[in-house]
Amino acid sequence: DTGVSQNPRHKITKRGQNVTFRCDPISEHNRLYWYRQTLGQGPEFLTYFQNEAQLEKSRLLSDRFSAERPKGSFSTLEIQRTEQGDSAMYLCASSPGGGSYEQYFGPGTRLTVT
Amino acid sequence: QKEVEQNSGPLSVPEGAIASLNCTYSDRGSQSFFWYRQYSGKSPELIMFIYSNGDKEDGRFTAQLNKASQYVSLLIRDSQPSDSATYLCAVNVGYSTLTFGKGTMLLVSP
């Protein structure tokens, strides 16, 4: 396994701009999760896919956030009209399913909104 | 509201000692329990998971689960300075999303 990969690793953007992050899960992992983490906090759930189906989305997630996983492989997370409060580490995790519940995280994308 | 509670620390132990990290959770329906290690500026790394009451050992790490008390712990034997990190406890139900605690910072002094 090559592990979960995320791109870009760092993103600096100006308030009001749109940004898109990509996550490539471990191959054959059919479950993919997005989390957000700010300093001093544990990761906070954003959304979850099983194959291409988005099964769960956090109630705290603004409608400026959208995610997709069109072919059940990689996923993208888009934030529209970024705000300074969106500055955080965005983490992607994948899980194999089939009775295994462990989630393995990628390196994350650190977003800074100026 | 599912909650996972951890002492923020820092927990300081000398090299070679046993570090004991604790976690409580509020949702009695929680089925799976995980410990992640997170170095500063890095992403969480899964180090232990446990699904059944009792102990589970892997190398220097032992996870302990007591569902009746809604308590899970992580023991690190022969602590090394490289173990210095934040340890995150997480729980979930089935394939659902993880609920994390805020983490406990562990400092191992040489």
Side-chain angles (χ1 to χ4, degrees), chain B residues 30-83:
Chain B
S30 298
Q31 297 174 322
S32 308
F33 306 86
F34 305 88
W35 284 98
Y36 287 84
R37 178 174 62 198
Q38 187 170 30
Y39 293 111
S40 180
K42 302 297 185 181
S43 64
E45 173 191 6
L46 180 64
I47 55 172
M48 287 291 288
F49 58 92
I50 185 167
Y51 300 154
S52 303
N53 273 331
D55 294 359
K56 179 182 178 182
E57 184 174 322
D58 184 2
R60 296 187 296 113
F61 300 101
T62 298
Q64 299 175 317
L65 175 61
N66 184 325
K67 288 186 177 180
S69 300
Q70 296 177 243
Y71 177 91
V72 58
S73 65
L74 178 70
L75 300 178
I76 306 175
R77 291 180 298 281
D78 189 23
S79 295
Q80 301 297 309
S82 59
D83 295 326

Side-chain angles (χ1 to χ4, degrees), chain A residues 18-38:
Chain A
N18 298 344
V19 295
T20 299
F21 308 141
R22 176 178 170 129
C23 171
D24 288 85
I26 295 171
S27 60
E28 300 182 355
H29 279 197
N30 61 10
R31 287 171 169 78
L32 187 149
Y33 306 80
W34 285 98
Y35 294 84
R36 176 173 62 187
Q37 187 177 25
T38 54

